Amino acid sequence: MKFGIDRLLAEPELRAALKGKRVALLGHPASVTADLTHSMDALVACPDINLTAAFGPQHGMKGDLQDNMMETEDETDPIHGIPIFSLYGEVRRPTGQSMGTFDVILIDLQDLGCRIYTFVTTLLYVLEAAAEHGKEVWVLDRPNPAGRPVEGTILRPGWESFVGAGPMPMRHGMTLGEMGRWFIDHFKLDVAYRVIEIEGYDPDAGPGFGWPLNERVWINPSPNAPNLFMARDYAGTVMLEGTTLSEGRGSTRPLELFGAPDIDARAVITEMQRLAPQWLDSCVLRDCWILPTFHKHAGQLCSSVQIHTEGPAYDHFAFQPWRVQALGFKAIRSLYPDYDLWRDFPYEYAFGKLPIDVINGSPILREWVDDAGADAGDLDAVARPDEAAWVETRRPHLIY
């Protein structure tokens, strides 16, 4: 399998349109070639490409900032001497000044296949700025490690945010290159757009089901995205950011588990199995203990539930991480009716809204969890039509 960056460097005919143009790179630590050369270094070394600027998304080009809502400043690359503009600092959208530094921007970001992962929104903002300033956008495509399956309710009007770029479900099942095609169509953008496609990519093929497991090294696209199994869980476990439960930050398996000092994980698993066993037959839940070194419940022993997707019990096409995590919330609410579950702060600067609602793009999930009379079928009744609609919406924009 060849990723977009590798094809661009290996095939001169793909680079022909870049000759004589100023080129920018939007990248991060996972922007590497097959031999683990960073894309910036590889592009600078390519005689056909004149790299004049770079951009970094959330967590920065270095990927050094652990938590959300930690901003990165603009800088100058110390090796190549080109400016690196932050798209998660004073601005979230490229400015007119930064847009003046290039003619074509190459986007080489490893995404996780989840609406809330902010690289999706950054792609939209770059496309909108390019349309305004007459620039070209090329996506050097990479696999979606979460694969093709779709899950979650579609973001409702009025709930758009930096973690909700448009009316899509939590798990969208598209590559970044495909998502760009949908953005251009949905938002009616007049922009020159090109995807350097992945060669040899079959998102339904095992054992990686979207990621070339045992073929390609995993590099963290953000500090708490350490492996493929986190990426599989993420469309569910990301919701923990809107709760008082630990998502495992400060442990060695972030966003693969949830826990707190004042819950009994074994009892939570039993209750999850009682409430909706049909949502749990594609993964394994295991009770464990973590002692976070930072973030929520730092220094406190937390009884936790780990969601395992790396074993033989994993069924890629049946696994529903959004429902699994929702069921974890429901079980806690059932066992501890007065549990202080929902955090209240301006998540990603969305003021006046609960973070769990911003994350889900509506209050639907939270209201289902808090409704003692609502069961699994009630959530399915809302989510299933949304999921089916998205499968049809995305169909014309799929490449692979």
Side-chain angles (χ1 to χ4, degrees):
M1 187 185 300
K2 283 188 176 180
F3 292 4
I5 180 64
D6 300 300
R7 290 194 59 215
L8 183 71
L9 293 168
E11 301 175 34
E13 63 273 18
L14 294 179
R15 302 193 301 270
L18 296 177
K19 289 184 178 179
K21 295 183 178 179
R22 299 170 303 158
V23 177
L25 170 70
L26 170 53
H28 58 182
S31 305
V32 297
T33 65
D35 67 0
L36 302 187
T37 301
H38 195 275
S39 297
M40 182 185 294
D41 298 324
L43 292 169
V44 169
C46 181
D48 296 339
I49 294 175
N50 176 27
L51 195 71
T52 57
F55 293 79
Q58 186 180 15
H59 306 290
M61 181 69 82
K62 296 185 178 73
D64 55 323
L65 297 178
Q66 274 280 353
D67 206 352
N68 295 329
M69 300 176 68
M70 296 181 69
E71 298 182 344
T72 304
E73 295 183 355
D74 295 346
E75 59 180 323
T76 299
D77 182 79
I79 297 174
H80 304 300
I82 64 173
I84 302 177
F85 299 100
S86 172
L87 296 180
Y88 197 85
E90 291 185 5
V91 298
R92 297 289 185 272
R93 299 172 179 270
T95 63
Q97 178 185 11
S98 65
M99 293 296 290
T101 61
F102 67 89
D103 304 306
V104 182
I105 184 168
L106 308 178
I107 298 179
D108 186 27
L109 296 174
Q110 180 58 59
D111 189 42
L112 291 186
C114 183
R115 185 195 68 230
I116 193 175
Y117 206 51
T118 59
F119 304 155
V120 175
T121 306
T122 294
L123 169 63
L124 172 62
Y125 290 176
V126 169
L127 286 168
E128 291 176 333
E132 179 183 352
H133 292 274
K135 306 295 183 175
E136 292 183 51
V137 177
W138 292 22
V139 170
L140 309 182
D141 218 5
R142 290 176 172 267
N144 176 346
R148 281 292 189 222
V150 168
E151 192 188 11
T153 52
I154 287 177
L155 181 141
R156 297 317 195 238
W159 287 93
E160 295 82 4
S161 71
F162 196 57
V163 293
M168 67 182 82
M170 185 71 87
R171 188 180 183 189
H172 53 70
M174 302 174 81
T175 69
L176 214 60
E178 294 170 334
M179 181 60 66
R181 289 163 54 123
W182 177 71
F183 278 145
I184 290 168
D185 177 69
H186 179 78
F187 291 102
K188 308 304 178 190
L189 301 177
D190 182 10
V191 60
Y193 181 70
R194 182 175 181 181
V195 179
I196 303 300
E197 299 176 8
I198 310 161
E199 184 179 283
Y201 180 48
D202 179 359
D204 291 334
F209 301 106
W211 180 259
L213 195 63
N214 303 322
E215 295 180 38
R216 192 83 179 212
V217 172
W218 179 274
I219 306 294
N220 291 22
S222 57
N224 288 286
N227 54 52
L228 170 63
F229 314 113
M230 170 273 178
R232 290 173 173 172
D233 288 336
Y234 184 65
T237 55
V238 68
M239 294 190 289
L240 291 159
E241 295 182 358
T243 76
T244 59
L245 304 170
S246 171
E247 60 267 26
R249 291 176 190 267
S251 80
T252 57
R253 301 306 288 259
L255 293 155
E256 292 182 65
L257 51 78
F258 62 95
D262 52 353
I263 67 169
D264 179 344
R266 189 165 294 188
V268 170
I269 292 172
T270 299
E271 185 68 359
M272 291 172 71
Q273 292 167 337
R274 184 187 73 82
L275 291 171
Q278 70 274 22
W279 289 357
L280 301 175
D281 59 2
S282 56
C283 62
V284 175
L285 303 181
R286 180 181 67 91
D287 62 288
C288 60
W289 298 90
I290 63 169
L291 186 70
T293 57
F294 59 86
H295 211 254
K296 286 181 273 184
H297 308 304
Q300 300 181 70
L301 188 62
C302 295
S303 181
S304 304
V305 177
Q306 185 166 355
I307 305 166
H308 286 276
T309 65
E310 70 272 47
Y314 174 66
D315 183 338
H316 177 73
F317 301 103
F319 181 50
Q320 302 176 105
W322 182 75
R323 284 172 173 80
V324 171
Q325 189 59 66
L327 188 57
F329 299 151
K330 191 73 168 173
I332 289 171
R333 181 63 78 223
S334 175
L335 293 171
Y336 316 103
D338 298 323
Y339 196 88
D340 183 19
L341 189 57
W342 312 122
R343 296 174 80 190
D344 187 1
F345 72 102
Y347 183 83
E348 287 299 343
Y349 309 98
F351 293 90
K353 298 176 179 177
L354 287 178
I356 189 65
D357 297 344
V358 175
I359 289 168
N360 275 290
S362 78
I364 291 171
L365 187 285
R366 174 180 55 83
E367 291 172 350
W368 175 80
V369 170
D370 289 341
D371 183 352
D375 61 17
D378 295 314
L379 189 61
D380 276 339
V382 179
R384 293 291 184 214
D386 279 12
E387 292 158 352
W390 176 251
V391 167
E392 293 306 311
T393 296
R394 74 175 184 177
R395 191 182 305 279
H397 309 294
L398 298 183
I399 299 171
Y400 311 100

